[in-house]
Amino acid sequence: MSITDVGYVAVLLSLVVAFYSGVAAIVSARRGLEELEASARNGVFAIAGLLSVAGFLLFYAFFSHDFGVRYVYVNATRDMPWYLKLSAFWGGQEGSLLFWAWGLSIFTAVVIWQNLRRNREFMPYVIAVLMAIQSFFLVVLGFVSNPFERLPFSPLDGQGLNPLLRDAGMLGHPPFLLAGYMSWSIPFAFAIAALLTGKPGAEWIRAVRHYTLVAWAVLWIGLLFGAWWAYHVLGWGGYWGWDPVENVALMPWLMGTAFLHSIIVQERRGMLKVWNFVLIILTFALSIFGTFVVRSGVLSSVHAFAKSAIGPLFFLFLAVILVFSLALLFTRLSSLRSEQTFDALVSRESSFLLNNLLLVGITFAVFWGSILPLVSEAVRGVKLTVGPPFFIQVAGPLFLALMLLLGICPLLAWRAVTWATLWRNFRWLLLGTLVVAGVLPFVGVRNPWAIVAYSASAFALASIILEYYRGVRARRRFSGEGYPKALSTLVSRNKRRYGGYIIHLGVVIMAVGIIGSLMFQKVREATLSAGESMSIGGYTITYNGNAEVFMPGHQMIQAKLDVLQGEKKVGEMGPGKSIYRNYENQPVSRIAIRSGLGEDLYIVLAGYEGNSLATLTVFVNPLVAWVWIGGVVLLLGTLVAGWPELQARAVPVRRPVRRVVASEA
Amino acid sequence: MVESEIASVEPVAKQGRRTSRKLIVVGLLLVVAIGYLFAVSIPKFMSYYMTLDELKAKGNAAYNEKLRVGARVTIGSIEKDVKAGTLRFIISQGEDSLPVVYTGRMGQVPDIFGDDIEVVVEGKYLPSGIFEAYKIEAKCPSKMTAKLETAEGGGQGGK
Ligand code: HEM
């Protein structure tokens, strides 16, 4: 027996404990046995410990070059740098699933810990639901897709990760994506607990908001890393290809965004209760869908994963989740009456509703576009597929509408608007927007869609600024503070609201980048002999032949380029191709990128011959940097919105102050 | 007093119902709009996916449609001329084979494109019997996995 077998034993033990804890938690709730519940809780902590042992042992197997473990043999080589060994953990299916389960065990333990005194009624059921989910993953790990499986012999070296995956980007993208999917289990578990306990009111909504923000942000980091990676590694000049693997990750994020907004309506007005349950159930189902669908081989993707036996199992799991939760919801419908009705067509709550419809609409568009081959084959016997232009044409206008709404929403009062007040603020936005729309054609933006899209962005931006300005002004009037102080007090006293607006600012900044790079990208391809040059978008690129560079485990052919912008030399660039041992016929492009706030110069070595001939594909991508900047601003905003209330104890004293600020809306 | 309360509550409820109805109309309009976007965009951007034998079975009917065809690159069939910037190859599946001319950018050919790789070519099947592809997608081969599994005598191997 080898040390890694202990990992497998830990997985099996976890399964036993998960089963026990789940059952014990339910029995304890039904019978009111506090001690049994404590025992279930201990089970949860034990699983976190056991799976940590399993996880560390798999890392250990990678770092100790234990190639007798099949998973290590397939995904690692001796000479891989440390960060690739680290990322080889989730380079394949078995490790990814272990990562999921391990992450869930830790997150579950944290949630249980934080709720030792809070949400007492929900917790046994939360434990039960999470243990059920955990058990599914543990069954798969234990009996179908075992990362600790041993080969009958111990090879001296491994095969190594697929060259495409040999990138530092692998450190960030997969784990965050998997952790993001995994984290949606928590709000889902609270939702089911709320239905099971017959308390589907506002408590569970308050209990899940922070966890939801965490899941949402983690998934966002995964998406952002993925886009960054695609852009810097894959070499087709863009960051989002509407490939099924990307789409399935976007869907729970969009649905989750809808949920984050609609719970605000339930908290404020006691409406949309059923809708909130539906949203979180679907978000979780989409996360499970995202975890598995590409691996199941049902949707084909360019990022191919080996087809595996877990396909049917996963569909069964998904079906169980959906049938169980929706049936449960159905039986509770009578207790889910709205406490209020919509008072007016134009109001804050109806704008949230529209926001939800748009987000869900986009999710469905992405969903149907992704599964169209399956559906059309089932219905008409032909496989229809659609590519990026389809998604852009369908989702584009919906995102545009969302952007306008994002601008209007803060101006609308709850319940009903008074038109005079609305107009007083709205006219400034309109003015700002019209000015931008009028100026754009003179700075080179002539495409009508680009003008519309940028005007909408300007509108949203103006609204966010106005919102901050009004808040700060009110604060100053009230307290006489200076601007910086007023701003910081304003934000720290209303983190959710002003954090939300920072998030929106991030969205707008990203939109600026996306619109620019989508509509104004320039591309040229040319085959050059040494000494020849090509020009594109104001750049002149001179080719000076190829160089060979040797590195441990691989070898790189590099085209040597001098880059001039106008007359001025701005640098040297060296796009290349790496060739890895064991993967000689699968060279990997090494893209050269010169990034700036205005535009990126992006060069791919498309082909070469000998030392003095190369084909270069050159992209000029405007404003891409703003996609990353916006993405990070969005994250910072989430941090602000979700920052825990540390001065909770001081509340009674400060309450009068808060009221005044909060009601200035 | 009680009466007047009831009297004042009723219109509010009615108003609420009217607003709900208006909101439903707005929602339906949105659904219709999304449906419309779909109905317009699918025919405009769709392509038929088929395997090579399905394409051959369709024969003439397949000419000039936007197609995506999946098959394997025939070993030794790739003719790439870096200087001229041309790429031709043959894809095959069982008995069937199809010559392909690539018209897209060389920089957009996937890195892993090569002999015996499973590809999906997107473009048109010309009456001359040649497939004109403006896009090539390649499936990542988990070749090593496949080799290992055959060595063990089990499994169908990776894709
Ligand atoms: C893709 C677009 C959008 C994203 C990613 C987004 C994201 C977010 C997030 C994460 C929050 C923080 C929620 C919380 O802290 O609980 C937030 C707050 C908010 N969002 Fe959005 N949102 C988007 C579009 C919209 C739209 C279209 C509206 C208009 C209906 C809207 C209205 C609001 C409001 C009013 C808040 C502040 C909530 C408060 O006052 O407590 N958002 N948004």
Side-chain angles (χ1 to χ4, degrees), chain A residues 179-349:
Chain A
Y181 288 144
M182 173 276 287
S183 314
W184 287 107
S185 310
I186 308 286
F188 170 77
F190 272 93
I192 298 299
L195 288 173
L196 284 172
T197 49
K199 294 195 97 189
E203 293 96 335
W204 80 275
I205 295 281
R206 271 195 291 276
V208 299
R209 176 179 162 248
H210 272 95
Y211 299 127
T212 309
L213 275 179
V214 170
W216 188 80
V218 171
L219 189 56
W220 176 250
I221 297 174
L223 286 167
L224 205 57
F225 268 124
W228 171 271
W229 189 33
Y231 186 68
H232 290 84
V233 175
L234 296 185
W236 43 268
Y239 42 83
W240 190 263
W242 299 100
D243 183 83
V245 255
E246 298 169 331
N247 292 348
V248 295
L250 184 62
M251 290 189 288
W253 188 81
L254 289 170
M255 197 68 110
T257 309
F259 178 72
L260 272 173
H261 288 96
S262 72
I263 58 177
I264 296 173
V265 181
Q266 180 168 347
E267 268 177 80
R268 283 302 203 93
R269 305 272 288 128
M271 305 192 295
L272 302 182
K273 290 181 189 168
V274 178
W275 178 245
N276 282 331
F277 280 111
V278 172
L279 282 181
I280 195 62
I281 290 168
L282 290 182
T283 304
F284 178 64
L286 284 172
S287 294
I288 294 294
F289 190 71
T291 306
F292 285 94
V293 78
V294 189
R295 301 171 193 286
S296 73
V298 176
L299 291 182
S300 61
S301 151
V302 257
H303 312 238
F305 297 91
K307 262 188 206 168
S308 77
I310 59 173
L313 258 179
F314 130 69
F315 276 111
L316 187 69
F317 183 51
L318 196 56
V320 169
I321 292 171
L322 284 173
V323 170
F324 171 79
S325 342
L326 294 175
L328 181 64
L329 179 60
F330 188 75
T331 63
R332 297 292 193 270
L333 278 184
S334 58
S335 63
L336 289 169
R337 291 264 167 68
S338 261
E339 291 152 31
Q340 316 266 353
T341 52
F342 284 94
D343 295 329
L345 187 59
V346 182
S347 63
R348 180 67 71 90
E349 49 269 53

Side-chain angles (χ1 to χ4, degrees), chain A residues 209-210 212-213 216 220 253-254 256-261 263-264 267-268 347-356 358-359 362 399 401-412 414 494-504 507-508 634 637-638 640-642:
Chain A
R209 176 179 162 248
H210 272 95
T212 309
L213 275 179
W216 188 80
W220 176 250
W253 188 81
L254 289 170
T257 309
F259 178 72
L260 272 173
H261 288 96
I263 58 177
I264 296 173
E267 268 177 80
R268 283 302 203 93
S347 63
R348 180 67 71 90
E349 49 269 53
S350 62
S351 85
F352 272 108
L353 190 66
L354 203 54
N355 148 312
N356 268 234
L358 283 168
L359 284 164
I362 296 170
F399 273 119
L402 205 56
M403 189 72 83
L404 286 174
L405 197 58
L406 193 155
I408 296 170
C409 175
L411 303 183
L412 305 178
W414 291 95
N494 304 272
K495 296 191 192 75
R496 181 176 197 173
R497 180 144 143 230
Y498 290 98
Y501 294 155
I502 297 175
I503 296 169
H504 291 175
V507 171
V508 176
L634 190 153
T638 314
V640 171

Side-chain angles (χ1 to χ4, degrees), chain A residues 123-152:
Chain A
M123 290 323 287
Y125 295 98
V126 170
I127 294 178
V129 174
L130 290 173
M131 289 302 103
I133 298 168
Q134 187 67 277
S135 300
F136 171 77
F137 278 85
L138 292 171
V139 165
V140 172
L141 283 168
F143 303 105
V144 190
S145 190
N146 172 13
F148 298 102
E149 186 190 332
R150 294 199 76 86
L151 293 170

Side-chain angles (χ1 to χ4, degrees), chain A residues 334-589:
Chain A
S334 58
S335 63
L336 289 169
R337 291 264 167 68
S338 261
E339 291 152 31
Q340 316 266 353
T341 52
F342 284 94
D343 295 329
L345 187 59
V346 182
S347 63
R348 180 67 71 90
E349 49 269 53
S350 62
S351 85
F352 272 108
L353 190 66
L354 203 54
N355 148 312
N356 268 234
L357 291 176
L358 283 168
L359 284 164
V360 172
I362 296 170
T363 313
F364 270 88
V366 174
F367 181 71
W368 284 103
S370 305
I371 66 162
L372 186 65
L374 292 180
V375 176
S376 62
E377 187 165 38
V379 176
R380 288 178 44 196
V382 289
K383 258 191 174 167
L384 295 180
T385 60
V386 286
F390 168 83
F391 291 102
I392 292 169
Q393 173 147 350
V394 175
L398 299 177
F399 273 119
L400 189 69
L402 205 56
M403 189 72 83
L404 286 174
L405 197 58
L406 193 155
I408 296 170
C409 175
L411 303 183
L412 305 178
W414 291 95
R415 307 202 55 167
V417 296
T418 36
W419 292 99
T421 324
L422 183 60
W423 174 245
R424 205 167 56 222
N425 295 310
F426 189 74
R427 59 187 175 175
W428 295 115
L429 302 191
L430 206 59
L431 187 69
T433 310
L434 290 177
V435 168
V436 169
V439 167
L440 281 172
F442 297 99
V443 296
V445 181
R446 304 242 162 72
N447 176 328
W449 278 112
I451 294 179
V452 170
Y454 274 133
S455 305
S457 314
F459 177 73
L461 180 66
S463 147
I464 296 166
I465 294 173
L466 182 68
E467 224 15 49
Y468 265 90
Y469 172 70
R470 284 166 60 201
V472 169
R473 195 184 48 185
R475 178 85 217 148
R476 270 169 56 81
R477 237 188 251 143
F478 172 77
S479 66
E481 292 163 347
Y483 280 101
K485 182 81 178 51
L487 180 65
S488 74
T489 330
L490 180 76
V491 175
S492 66
R493 297 262 171 94
N494 304 272
K495 296 191 192 75
R496 181 176 197 173
R497 180 144 143 230
Y498 290 98
Y501 294 155
I502 297 175
I503 296 169
H504 291 175
L505 179 66
V507 171
V508 176
I509 294 174
M510 281 189 77
V512 170
I514 293 171
I515 297 161
S517 53
L518 194 66
M519 296 191 164
F520 301 103
Q521 186 183 53
K522 295 194 190 83
V523 202
R524 263 198 79 189
E525 187 168 85
T527 300
L528 304 177
S529 300
E532 288 182 336
S533 36
M534 65 187 287
S535 51
I536 175 172
Y539 293 97
T540 308
I541 295 152
T542 308
Y543 168 64
N544 298 320
N546 301 325
E548 260 181 284
V549 186
F550 291 92
M551 278 173 252
H554 72 117
Q555 170 194 358
M556 179 155 90
I557 311 289
Q558 214 172 19
K560 291 179 292 181
L561 309 175
D562 279 337
V563 180
L564 271 70
Q565 191 166 20
E567 300 291 299
K568 201 174 101 229
K569 178 163 170 171
V570 290
E572 289 167 14
M573 290 172 76
K577 278 194 190 297
S578 285
I579 297 159
Y580 286 88
R581 195 155 52 74
N582 283 348
Y583 288 90
E584 280 75 11
N585 52 5
Q586 195 184 323
V588 177
S589 286

